Amino acid sequence: QMQLVESGGGLVQAGDSLRLSCVTSGRNFRSFAMGWFRQAPGKEREFVAAISWSGGGTRYTDSVKGRFTISRDNNKNTAFLQMNSLKPEDTAVYYCAADYRLNQIPSASQDDYDYWGQGTEVTVSS
């Protein structure tokens, strides 16, 4: 089993920045691709960003490209999501997830992720 704990969410104004962290334990972090997903009130959970096990591959949903950056620190077993220029439509619960595959292009499909955190809430006011 792998445990994932997100932090860094909060209430901010449009245009502000937040940095989410996802600390993992229980499994070899270096063997997992990491993804961030979000679920807005009344909506389905959706893909946000992902990073390969090596850090060499990343992908983003179109709505966050140029504003969000995913990264990882394999020495600290932690994944990050830097969110800049936040918009009210970014309001959601953000979840990190781990995918036990060694592909260089990380998956955007929730079905491919094996472990999930409990989420951290991000609220962006206009």
Side-chain angles (χ1 to χ4, degrees), residues 5 12 16 18 50 60 70 77 92 95 101 114 117 125:
V5 179
V12 297
D16 286 349
L18 280 175
Y60 299 89
I70 189 170
N77 299 333
Y95 300 89
R101 297 188 302 167
D114 305 286
S125 63

Side-chain angles (χ1 to χ4, degrees), residues 38-53:
R38 66 186 179 187
Q39 187 168 19
K43 296 187 176 181
E44 297 290 318
R45 189 163 59 186
E46 65 175 359
F47 169 76
V48 177
I51 188 167
S52 66
W53 64 275

Side-chain angles (χ1 to χ4, degrees), residues 18-74:
L18 280 175
R19 189 192 197 202
L20 305 184
S21 299
C22 175
V23 178
T24 73
S25 61
R27 296 288 299 271
N28 184 0
F29 180 70
R30 297 170 187 265
S31 297
F32 289 82
M34 298 299 296
W36 286 95
F37 295 79
R38 66 186 179 187
Q39 187 168 19
K43 296 187 176 181
E44 297 290 318
R45 189 163 59 186
E46 65 175 359
F47 169 76
V48 177
I51 188 167
S52 66
W53 64 275
S54 66
T58 58
R59 66 190 301 175
Y60 299 89
T61 192
D62 286 345
S63 64
V64 308
K65 286 179 181 177
R67 300 189 298 123
F68 291 11
T69 302
I70 189 170
S71 61
R72 64 188 296 155
D73 185 336
N74 284 348

